[in-house]
Amino acid sequence: MPGGPRRRGRYHHGDLVPALVGAGLAQIAERGPANFSVAEVARRVGVSTAAPYRHFADRDAFLAAVAAHAATLLAAAMTEAVAGLSDPAERLAGAAGAYAAFVAEHRVGFDLVFSPGLRGVRDVDLADAGRAVMSVLLDPAAELAGEGALRLLEQVIALAHGYGTLDADGFLTADRVTDEPTATRARRAARALIAGTPG
């Protein structure tokens, strides 16, 4: 992932888009989605501020590509966290922990992946990646709660997103209550929430 400016003209055809998307995700991790700047991303990569618009129709299309990349990484992280687990409660709690850790690191979660502001872009890659994220979470939620799966999922995601956001803002690392990673805290809290869910 690019960490600083590059010399112009260094990118071959097809290389620039991944570089822009990677730099966009890095910028969001530092500044949050609300402060996403196409011009700043271009400067990070070392291309003109007009260069991204040769590949993306506008800022929202660019942001949707970044969100799709983030969702792909998030789905992979959650899938890895629950690999080998058969208990749906443990799978859902494990996914919640991975989600919280991802939000803490990247400042991206459901708020961007399913952002109402990006629906008009109709980005196919974002839609596919979003479904992959939902599948990791919804499958165990459905096993646990049946018709109440979406309500349970809402509660688990709100919990995990809260942990991730507070960690990203430095609140949890400054409270000195415990040295446990945020993912561990979120996973334990999700287990407690799930245990109170009627089958």
Side-chain angles (χ1 to χ4, degrees), residues 17 21-22 24-25 28 36 56 60-76 102 108-115 118 121-133:
V17 170
V21 168
L25 186 57
I28 288 174
F36 182 74
F56 304 104
D60 284 351
F62 188 2
L63 188 55
V66 175
H69 178 55
T72 299
L73 296 176
L74 174 57
F102 190 89
V108 172
F110 271 36
D111 56 333
L112 181 61
V113 174
F114 298 105
S115 170
L118 296 180
V121 178
R122 299 186 182 279
D123 186 283
V124 174
D125 291 336
L126 178 55
D128 289 344
R131 280 191 289 270
V133 168

mmCIF file of all heavy atoms in Angstrom, residues 17 21-22 24-25 28 36 56 60-76 102 108-115 118 121-133:
data_model
loop_
_atom_site.group_PDB
_atom_site.id
_atom_site.type_symbol
_atom_site.label_atom_id
_atom_site.label_comp_id
_atom_site.label_asym_id
_atom_site.label_seq_id
_atom_site.Cartn_x
_atom_site.Cartn_y
_atom_site.Cartn_z
ATOM 1 N N VAL A 17 -5.272 1.989 -10.726
ATOM 2 C CA VAL A 17 -6.513 1.838 -9.963
ATOM 3 C C VAL A 17 -6.279 1.139 -8.620
ATOM 4 O O VAL A 17 -6.715 1.636 -7.575
ATOM 5 C CB VAL A 17 -7.593 1.116 -10.793
ATOM 6 C CG1 VAL A 17 -8.787 0.732 -9.910
ATOM 7 C CG2 VAL A 17 -8.060 2.004 -11.930
ATOM 8 N N VAL A 21 -6.974 2.887 -4.973
ATOM 9 C CA VAL A 21 -7.898 2.289 -4.013
ATOM 10 C C VAL A 21 -7.181 1.998 -2.689
ATOM 11 O O VAL A 21 -7.702 2.270 -1.609
ATOM 12 C CB VAL A 21 -8.526 1.003 -4.593
ATOM 13 C CG1 VAL A 21 -9.264 0.223 -3.517
ATOM 14 C CG2 VAL A 21 -9.467 1.353 -5.741
ATOM 15 N N GLY A 22 -5.966 1.470 -2.772
ATOM 16 C CA GLY A 22 -5.199 1.202 -1.563
ATOM 17 C C GLY A 22 -4.879 2.466 -0.798
ATOM 18 O O GLY A 22 -4.982 2.519 0.431
ATOM 19 N N GLY A 24 -6.609 5.182 -0.957
ATOM 20 C CA GLY A 24 -7.883 5.682 -0.431
ATOM 21 C C GLY A 24 -8.240 5.024 0.882
ATOM 22 O O GLY A 24 -8.689 5.692 1.833
ATOM 23 N N LEU A 25 -8.022 3.714 0.974
ATOM 24 C CA LEU A 25 -8.309 3.009 2.221
ATOM 25 C C LEU A 25 -7.374 3.481 3.328
ATOM 26 O O LEU A 25 -7.788 3.647 4.480
ATOM 27 C CB LEU A 25 -8.179 1.503 2.008
ATOM 28 C CG LEU A 25 -8.578 0.612 3.185
ATOM 29 C CD1 LEU A 25 -10.018 0.889 3.613
ATOM 30 C CD2 LEU A 25 -8.402 -0.855 2.822
ATOM 31 N N ILE A 28 -8.620 6.833 4.625
ATOM 32 C CA ILE A 28 -9.797 6.687 5.483
ATOM 33 C C ILE A 28 -9.385 6.193 6.865
ATOM 34 O O ILE A 28 -9.936 6.631 7.880
ATOM 35 C CB ILE A 28 -10.815 5.733 4.832
ATOM 36 C CG1 ILE A 28 -11.476 6.415 3.627
ATOM 37 C CG2 ILE A 28 -11.884 5.309 5.842
ATOM 38 C CD1 ILE A 28 -12.384 5.508 2.826
ATOM 39 N N PHE A 36 -12.887 11.865 3.214
ATOM 40 C CA PHE A 36 -12.271 11.284 2.021
ATOM 41 C C PHE A 36 -12.060 12.357 0.958
ATOM 42 O O PHE A 36 -12.986 13.083 0.592
ATOM 43 C CB PHE A 36 -13.168 10.176 1.468
ATOM 44 C CG PHE A 36 -12.598 9.480 0.273
ATOM 45 C CD1 PHE A 36 -11.546 8.588 0.401
ATOM 46 C CD2 PHE A 36 -13.125 9.699 -0.993
ATOM 47 C CE1 PHE A 36 -11.023 7.933 -0.701
ATOM 48 C CE2 PHE A 36 -12.614 9.049 -2.103
ATOM 49 C CZ PHE A 36 -11.554 8.166 -1.956
ATOM 50 N N PHE A 56 -12.653 6.769 -12.532
ATOM 51 C CA PHE A 56 -13.876 6.832 -11.738
ATOM 52 C C PHE A 56 -14.686 8.044 -12.166
ATOM 53 O O PHE A 56 -14.137 9.131 -12.343
ATOM 54 C CB PHE A 56 -13.547 6.924 -10.250
ATOM 55 C CG PHE A 56 -12.675 5.814 -9.747
ATOM 56 C CD1 PHE A 56 -11.329 6.034 -9.496
ATOM 57 C CD2 PHE A 56 -13.189 4.541 -9.551
ATOM 58 C CE1 PHE A 56 -10.511 5.012 -9.047
ATOM 59 C CE2 PHE A 56 -12.379 3.509 -9.103
ATOM 60 C CZ PHE A 56 -11.034 3.746 -8.850
ATOM 61 N N ASP A 60 -17.960 9.729 -5.549
ATOM 62 C CA ASP A 60 -18.723 8.615 -4.999
ATOM 63 C C ASP A 60 -18.335 7.289 -5.651
ATOM 64 O O ASP A 60 -18.279 6.248 -4.980
ATOM 65 C CB ASP A 60 -20.220 8.856 -5.160
ATOM 66 C CG ASP A 60 -20.753 9.868 -4.157
ATOM 67 O OD1 ASP A 60 -19.997 10.245 -3.237
ATOM 68 O OD2 ASP A 60 -21.920 10.289 -4.304
ATOM 69 N N ALA A 61 -18.081 7.308 -6.951
ATOM 70 C CA ALA A 61 -17.666 6.080 -7.637
ATOM 71 C C ALA A 61 -16.318 5.610 -7.119
ATOM 72 O O ALA A 61 -16.082 4.398 -6.936
ATOM 73 C CB ALA A 61 -17.610 6.314 -9.146
ATOM 74 N N PHE A 62 -15.418 6.559 -6.884
ATOM 75 C CA PHE A 62 -14.112 6.235 -6.318
ATOM 76 C C PHE A 62 -14.281 5.665 -4.905
ATOM 77 O O PHE A 62 -13.713 4.632 -4.549
ATOM 78 C CB PHE A 62 -13.240 7.491 -6.310
ATOM 79 C CG PHE A 62 -11.799 7.279 -5.930
ATOM 80 C CD1 PHE A 62 -11.280 6.026 -5.640
ATOM 81 C CD2 PHE A 62 -10.938 8.370 -5.876
ATOM 82 C CE1 PHE A 62 -9.937 5.852 -5.294
ATOM 83 C CE2 PHE A 62 -9.600 8.213 -5.540
ATOM 84 C CZ PHE A 62 -9.109 6.953 -5.231
ATOM 85 N N LEU A 63 -15.089 6.344 -4.097
ATOM 86 C CA LEU A 63 -15.311 5.896 -2.726
ATOM 87 C C LEU A 63 -15.968 4.520 -2.699
ATOM 88 O O LEU A 63 -15.671 3.690 -1.828
ATOM 89 C CB LEU A 63 -16.168 6.919 -1.982
ATOM 90 C CG LEU A 63 -16.356 6.708 -0.474
ATOM 91 C CD1 LEU A 63 -15.021 6.614 0.252
ATOM 92 C CD2 LEU A 63 -17.207 7.836 0.101
ATOM 93 N N ALA A 64 -16.850 4.244 -3.644
ATOM 94 C CA ALA A 64 -17.488 2.926 -3.720
ATOM 95 C C ALA A 64 -16.460 1.844 -4.012
ATOM 96 O O ALA A 64 -16.542 0.731 -3.469
ATOM 97 C CB ALA A 64 -18.572 2.927 -4.796
ATOM 98 N N ALA A 65 -15.474 2.141 -4.851
ATOM 99 C CA ALA A 65 -14.415 1.174 -5.145
ATOM 100 C C ALA A 65 -13.582 0.898 -3.901
ATOM 101 O O ALA A 65 -13.186 -0.246 -3.634
ATOM 102 C CB ALA A 65 -13.535 1.691 -6.277
ATOM 103 N N VAL A 66 -13.302 1.949 -3.140
ATOM 104 C CA VAL A 66 -12.572 1.777 -1.882
ATOM 105 C C VAL A 66 -13.403 0.944 -0.903
ATOM 106 O O VAL A 66 -12.885 0.038 -0.243
ATOM 107 C CB VAL A 66 -12.214 3.142 -1.263
ATOM 108 C CG1 VAL A 66 -11.558 2.960 0.107
ATOM 109 C CG2 VAL A 66 -11.287 3.925 -2.187
ATOM 110 N N ALA A 67 -14.691 1.233 -0.824
ATOM 111 C CA ALA A 67 -15.580 0.486 0.070
ATOM 112 C C ALA A 67 -15.650 -0.985 -0.340
ATOM 113 O O ALA A 67 -15.690 -1.877 0.521
ATOM 114 C CB ALA A 67 -16.974 1.105 0.060
ATOM 115 N N ALA A 68 -15.674 -1.260 -1.630
ATOM 116 C CA ALA A 68 -15.710 -2.648 -2.112
ATOM 117 C C ALA A 68 -14.442 -3.388 -1.706
ATOM 118 O O ALA A 68 -14.489 -4.549 -1.272
ATOM 119 C CB ALA A 68 -15.879 -2.668 -3.627
ATOM 120 N N HIS A 69 -13.303 -2.722 -1.840
ATOM 121 C CA HIS A 69 -12.034 -3.327 -1.436
ATOM 122 C C HIS A 69 -12.034 -3.600 0.065
ATOM 123 O O HIS A 69 -11.645 -4.681 0.526
ATOM 124 C CB HIS A 69 -10.889 -2.386 -1.813
ATOM 125 C CG HIS A 69 -9.536 -2.868 -1.402
ATOM 126 N ND1 HIS A 69 -9.038 -4.099 -1.768
ATOM 127 C CD2 HIS A 69 -8.560 -2.288 -0.639
ATOM 128 C CE1 HIS A 69 -7.824 -4.262 -1.266
ATOM 129 N NE2 HIS A 69 -7.511 -3.172 -0.576
ATOM 130 N N ALA A 70 -12.515 -2.632 0.835
ATOM 131 C CA ALA A 70 -12.577 -2.797 2.287
ATOM 132 C C ALA A 70 -13.500 -3.950 2.659
ATOM 133 O O ALA A 70 -13.180 -4.756 3.545
ATOM 134 C CB ALA A 70 -13.049 -1.503 2.943
ATOM 135 N N ALA A 71 -14.644 -4.044 1.999
ATOM 136 C CA ALA A 71 -15.600 -5.110 2.302
ATOM 137 C C ALA A 71 -15.009 -6.478 1.984
ATOM 138 O O ALA A 71 -15.234 -7.450 2.725
ATOM 139 C CB ALA A 71 -16.889 -4.896 1.509
ATOM 140 N N THR A 72 -14.254 -6.562 0.918
ATOM 141 C CA THR A 72 -13.588 -7.831 0.572
ATOM 142 C C THR A 72 -12.601 -8.234 1.660
ATOM 143 O O THR A 72 -12.553 -9.397 2.079
ATOM 144 C CB THR A 72 -12.866 -7.695 -0.773
ATOM 145 O OG1 THR A 72 -13.823 -7.395 -1.802
ATOM 146 C CG2 THR A 72 -12.147 -8.984 -1.145
ATOM 147 N N LEU A 73 -11.824 -7.264 2.136
ATOM 148 C CA LEU A 73 -10.870 -7.538 3.213
ATOM 149 C C LEU A 73 -11.593 -7.906 4.507
ATOM 150 O O LEU A 73 -11.157 -8.800 5.242
ATOM 151 C CB LEU A 73 -9.977 -6.320 3.442
ATOM 152 C CG LEU A 73 -9.058 -5.903 2.295
ATOM 153 C CD1 LEU A 73 -8.307 -4.622 2.663
ATOM 154 C CD2 LEU A 73 -8.067 -7.025 1.965
ATOM 155 N N LEU A 74 -12.699 -7.219 4.791
ATOM 156 C CA LEU A 74 -13.471 -7.477 6.004
ATOM 157 C C LEU A 74 -14.066 -8.883 5.978
ATOM 158 O O LEU A 74 -13.993 -9.620 6.972
ATOM 159 C CB LEU A 74 -14.570 -6.433 6.155
ATOM 160 C CG LEU A 74 -15.574 -6.637 7.295
ATOM 161 C CD1 LEU A 74 -14.871 -6.731 8.638
ATOM 162 C CD2 LEU A 74 -16.606 -5.512 7.288
ATOM 163 N N ALA A 75 -14.649 -9.269 4.849
ATOM 164 C CA ALA A 75 -15.226 -10.611 4.731
ATOM 165 C C ALA A 75 -14.154 -11.676 4.932
ATOM 166 O O ALA A 75 -14.383 -12.689 5.612
ATOM 167 C CB ALA A 75 -15.904 -10.777 3.375
ATOM 168 N N ALA A 76 -12.966 -11.435 4.364
ATOM 169 C CA ALA A 76 -11.869 -12.395 4.509
ATOM 170 C C ALA A 76 -11.416 -12.486 5.958
ATOM 171 O O ALA A 76 -11.149 -13.582 6.471
ATOM 172 C CB ALA A 76 -10.703 -11.990 3.611
ATOM 173 N N PHE A 102 -11.282 -4.853 12.649
ATOM 174 C CA PHE A 102 -11.159 -4.252 11.325
ATOM 175 C C PHE A 102 -11.547 -2.779 11.362
ATOM 176 O O PHE A 102 -10.854 -1.933 10.803
ATOM 177 C CB PHE A 102 -12.032 -5.006 10.327
ATOM 178 C CG PHE A 102 -11.801 -4.616 8.894
ATOM 179 C CD1 PHE A 102 -10.836 -5.264 8.134
ATOM 180 C CD2 PHE A 102 -12.539 -3.601 8.297
ATOM 181 C CE1 PHE A 102 -10.608 -4.914 6.809
ATOM 182 C CE2 PHE A 102 -12.317 -3.234 6.984
ATOM 183 C CZ PHE A 102 -11.352 -3.889 6.241
ATOM 184 N N VAL A 108 -13.532 1.546 8.769
ATOM 185 C CA VAL A 108 -14.529 1.181 7.760
ATOM 186 C C VAL A 108 -15.327 -0.007 8.275
ATOM 187 O O VAL A 108 -14.759 -0.993 8.744
ATOM 188 C CB VAL A 108 -13.867 0.796 6.423
ATOM 189 C CG1 VAL A 108 -14.902 0.231 5.459
ATOM 190 C CG2 VAL A 108 -13.181 1.994 5.796
ATOM 191 N N GLY A 109 -16.647 0.093 8.182
ATOM 192 C CA GLY A 109 -17.518 -1.010 8.545
ATOM 193 C C GLY A 109 -18.810 -0.890 7.766
ATOM 194 O O GLY A 109 -18.821 -0.398 6.626
ATOM 195 N N PHE A 110 -19.912 -1.309 8.373
ATOM 196 C CA PHE A 110 -21.199 -1.225 7.706
ATOM 197 C C PHE A 110 -21.542 0.207 7.306
ATOM 198 O O PHE A 110 -22.264 0.430 6.332
ATOM 199 C CB PHE A 110 -22.300 -1.759 8.628
ATOM 200 C CG PHE A 110 -22.546 -3.233 8.506
ATOM 201 C CD1 PHE A 110 -21.496 -4.108 8.268
ATOM 202 C CD2 PHE A 110 -23.821 -3.748 8.640
ATOM 203 C CE1 PHE A 110 -21.721 -5.472 8.156
ATOM 204 C CE2 PHE A 110 -24.058 -5.111 8.531
ATOM 205 C CZ PHE A 110 -23.008 -5.975 8.288
ATOM 206 N N ASP A 111 -21.038 1.180 8.071
ATOM 207 C CA ASP A 111 -21.376 2.573 7.788
ATOM 208 C C ASP A 111 -20.952 2.996 6.393
ATOM 209 O O ASP A 111 -21.620 3.810 5.753
ATOM 210 C CB ASP A 111 -20.747 3.505 8.830
ATOM 211 C CG ASP A 111 -19.234 3.345 8.938
ATOM 212 O OD1 ASP A 111 -18.719 2.243 8.648
ATOM 213 O OD2 ASP A 111 -18.574 4.316 9.338
ATOM 214 N N LEU A 112 -19.846 2.446 5.887
ATOM 215 C CA LEU A 112 -19.398 2.781 4.528
ATOM 216 C C LEU A 112 -19.825 1.718 3.524
ATOM 217 O O LEU A 112 -20.310 2.043 2.440
ATOM 218 C CB LEU A 112 -17.878 2.950 4.487
ATOM 219 C CG LEU A 112 -17.306 3.334 3.115
ATOM 220 C CD1 LEU A 112 -17.873 4.680 2.644
ATOM 221 C CD2 LEU A 112 -15.780 3.403 3.168
ATOM 222 N N VAL A 113 -19.652 0.457 3.885
ATOM 223 C CA VAL A 113 -19.978 -0.627 2.949
ATOM 224 C C VAL A 113 -21.443 -0.568 2.507
ATOM 225 O O VAL A 113 -21.770 -0.823 1.345
ATOM 226 C CB VAL A 113 -19.661 -1.996 3.589
ATOM 227 C CG1 VAL A 113 -20.127 -3.140 2.685
ATOM 228 C CG2 VAL A 113 -18.161 -2.118 3.866
ATOM 229 N N PHE A 114 -22.337 -0.198 3.441
ATOM 230 C CA PHE A 114 -23.760 -0.117 3.121
ATOM 231 C C PHE A 114 -24.265 1.325 3.209
ATOM 232 O O PHE A 114 -25.428 1.568 3.524
ATOM 233 C CB PHE A 114 -24.558 -1.027 4.057
ATOM 234 C CG PHE A 114 -24.199 -2.479 3.923
ATOM 235 C CD1 PHE A 114 -23.417 -3.109 4.890
ATOM 236 C CD2 PHE A 114 -24.614 -3.219 2.833
ATOM 237 C CE1 PHE A 114 -23.068 -4.448 4.769
ATOM 238 C CE2 PHE A 114 -24.267 -4.557 2.699
ATOM 239 C CZ PHE A 114 -23.496 -5.177 3.666
ATOM 240 N N SER A 115 -23.389 2.262 2.914
ATOM 241 C CA SER A 115 -23.742 3.677 3.009
ATOM 242 C C SER A 115 -24.880 4.041 2.054
ATOM 243 O O SER A 115 -24.800 3.776 0.844
ATOM 244 C CB SER A 115 -22.525 4.541 2.667
ATOM 245 O OG SER A 115 -22.899 5.894 2.522
ATOM 246 N N LEU A 118 -23.946 5.841 -1.157
ATOM 247 C CA LEU A 118 -23.281 5.155 -2.274
ATOM 248 C C LEU A 118 -24.229 4.261 -3.071
ATOM 249 O O LEU A 118 -23.823 3.673 -4.067
ATOM 250 C CB LEU A 118 -22.113 4.310 -1.755
ATOM 251 C CG LEU A 118 -20.957 5.081 -1.104
ATOM 252 C CD1 LEU A 118 -19.875 4.110 -0.636
ATOM 253 C CD2 LEU A 118 -20.372 6.100 -2.081
ATOM 254 N N VAL A 121 -24.590 4.786 -6.844
ATOM 255 C CA VAL A 121 -23.468 4.423 -7.715
ATOM 256 C C VAL A 121 -23.725 3.085 -8.395
ATOM 257 O O VAL A 121 -23.273 2.832 -9.513
ATOM 258 C CB VAL A 121 -22.153 4.359 -6.906
ATOM 259 C CG1 VAL A 121 -20.991 3.923 -7.786
ATOM 260 C CG2 VAL A 121 -21.857 5.709 -6.264
ATOM 261 N N ARG A 122 -24.450 2.214 -7.698
ATOM 262 C CA ARG A 122 -24.777 0.874 -8.208
ATOM 263 C C ARG A 122 -23.510 0.114 -8.615
ATOM 264 O O ARG A 122 -23.418 -0.460 -9.701
ATOM 265 C CB ARG A 122 -25.754 0.960 -9.386
ATOM 266 C CG ARG A 122 -27.075 1.607 -9.026
ATOM 267 C CD ARG A 122 -28.080 1.561 -10.166
ATOM 268 N NE ARG A 122 -29.324 2.218 -9.829
ATOM 269 C CZ ARG A 122 -30.306 1.682 -9.125
ATOM 270 N NH1 ARG A 122 -30.175 0.444 -8.666
ATOM 271 N NH2 ARG A 122 -31.406 2.355 -8.855
ATOM 272 N N ASP A 123 -22.548 0.106 -7.707
ATOM 273 C CA ASP A 123 -21.282 -0.577 -7.953
ATOM 274 C C ASP A 123 -21.458 -2.077 -7.712
ATOM 275 O O ASP A 123 -21.776 -2.518 -6.612
ATOM 276 C CB ASP A 123 -20.205 -0.007 -7.014
ATOM 277 C CG ASP A 123 -18.831 -0.559 -7.309
ATOM 278 O OD1 ASP A 123 -18.560 -1.714 -6.926
ATOM 279 O OD2 ASP A 123 -18.028 0.165 -7.925
ATOM 280 N N VAL A 124 -21.251 -2.872 -8.755
ATOM 281 C CA VAL A 124 -21.475 -4.320 -8.672
ATOM 282 C C VAL A 124 -20.492 -4.966 -7.705
ATOM 283 O O VAL A 124 -20.855 -5.855 -6.916
ATOM 284 C CB VAL A 124 -21.361 -4.963 -10.073
ATOM 285 C CG1 VAL A 124 -21.452 -6.483 -9.968
ATOM 286 C CG2 VAL A 124 -22.448 -4.434 -10.997
ATOM 287 N N ASP A 125 -19.235 -4.542 -7.744
ATOM 288 C CA ASP A 125 -18.233 -5.122 -6.852
ATOM 289 C C ASP A 125 -18.570 -4.842 -5.393
ATOM 290 O O ASP A 125 -18.401 -5.708 -4.526
ATOM 291 C CB ASP A 125 -16.842 -4.565 -7.171
ATOM 292 C CG ASP A 125 -16.316 -5.042 -8.514
ATOM 293 O OD1 ASP A 125 -16.770 -6.099 -8.979
ATOM 294 O OD2 ASP A 125 -15.452 -4.354 -9.091
ATOM 295 N N LEU A 126 -19.060 -3.646 -5.107
ATOM 296 C CA LEU A 126 -19.437 -3.302 -3.744
ATOM 297 C C LEU A 126 -20.630 -4.140 -3.291
ATOM 298 O O LEU A 126 -20.662 -4.626 -2.153
ATOM 299 C CB LEU A 126 -19.761 -1.814 -3.639
ATOM 300 C CG LEU A 126 -20.224 -1.308 -2.269
ATOM 301 C CD1 LEU A 126 -19.213 -1.667 -1.186
ATOM 302 C CD2 LEU A 126 -20.469 0.197 -2.307
ATOM 303 N N ALA A 127 -21.595 -4.327 -4.172
ATOM 304 C CA ALA A 127 -22.764 -5.141 -3.828
ATOM 305 C C ALA A 127 -22.352 -6.580 -3.534
ATOM 306 O O ALA A 127 -22.810 -7.187 -2.554
ATOM 307 C CB ALA A 127 -23.782 -5.102 -4.960
ATOM 308 N N ASP A 128 -21.482 -7.144 -4.363
ATOM 309 C CA ASP A 128 -21.025 -8.522 -4.166
ATOM 310 C C ASP A 128 -20.234 -8.662 -2.866
ATOM 311 O O ASP A 128 -20.424 -9.619 -2.103
ATOM 312 C CB ASP A 128 -20.157 -8.975 -5.343
ATOM 313 C CG ASP A 128 -20.958 -9.189 -6.612
ATOM 314 O OD1 ASP A 128 -22.206 -9.282 -6.530
ATOM 315 O OD2 ASP A 128 -20.345 -9.258 -7.699
ATOM 316 N N ALA A 129 -19.343 -7.712 -2.610
ATOM 317 C CA ALA A 129 -18.527 -7.763 -1.394
ATOM 318 C C ALA A 129 -19.401 -7.570 -0.155
ATOM 319 O O ALA A 129 -19.178 -8.209 0.883
ATOM 320 C CB ALA A 129 -17.432 -6.700 -1.449
ATOM 321 N N GLY A 130 -20.397 -6.705 -0.260
ATOM 322 C CA GLY A 130 -21.320 -6.509 0.854
ATOM 323 C C GLY A 130 -22.090 -7.775 1.180
ATOM 324 O O GLY A 130 -22.305 -8.105 2.353
ATOM 325 N N ARG A 131 -22.508 -8.500 0.146
ATOM 326 C CA ARG A 131 -23.210 -9.770 0.377
ATOM 327 C C ARG A 131 -22.295 -10.791 1.060
ATOM 328 O O ARG A 131 -22.740 -11.570 1.909
ATOM 329 C CB ARG A 131 -23.744 -10.324 -0.942
ATOM 330 C CG ARG A 131 -25.045 -9.671 -1.395
ATOM 331 C CD ARG A 131 -25.680 -10.416 -2.544
ATOM 332 N NE ARG A 131 -24.930 -10.246 -3.782
ATOM 333 C CZ ARG A 131 -25.144 -9.264 -4.657
ATOM 334 N NH1 ARG A 131 -26.090 -8.360 -4.413
ATOM 335 N NH2 ARG A 131 -24.436 -9.173 -5.761
ATOM 336 N N ALA A 132 -21.022 -10.791 0.690
ATOM 337 C CA ALA A 132 -20.066 -11.709 1.314
ATOM 338 C C ALA A 132 -19.915 -11.394 2.800
ATOM 339 O O ALA A 132 -19.846 -12.301 3.643
ATOM 340 C CB ALA A 132 -18.714 -11.630 0.609
ATOM 341 N N VAL A 133 -19.868 -10.113 3.131
ATOM 342 C CA VAL A 133 -19.789 -9.697 4.542
ATOM 343 C C VAL A 133 -21.031 -10.156 5.289
ATOM 344 O O VAL A 133 -20.955 -10.733 6.388
ATOM 345 C CB VAL A 133 -19.632 -8.163 4.647
ATOM 346 C CG1 VAL A 133 -19.835 -7.694 6.086
ATOM 347 C CG2 VAL A 133 -18.266 -7.728 4.139
#
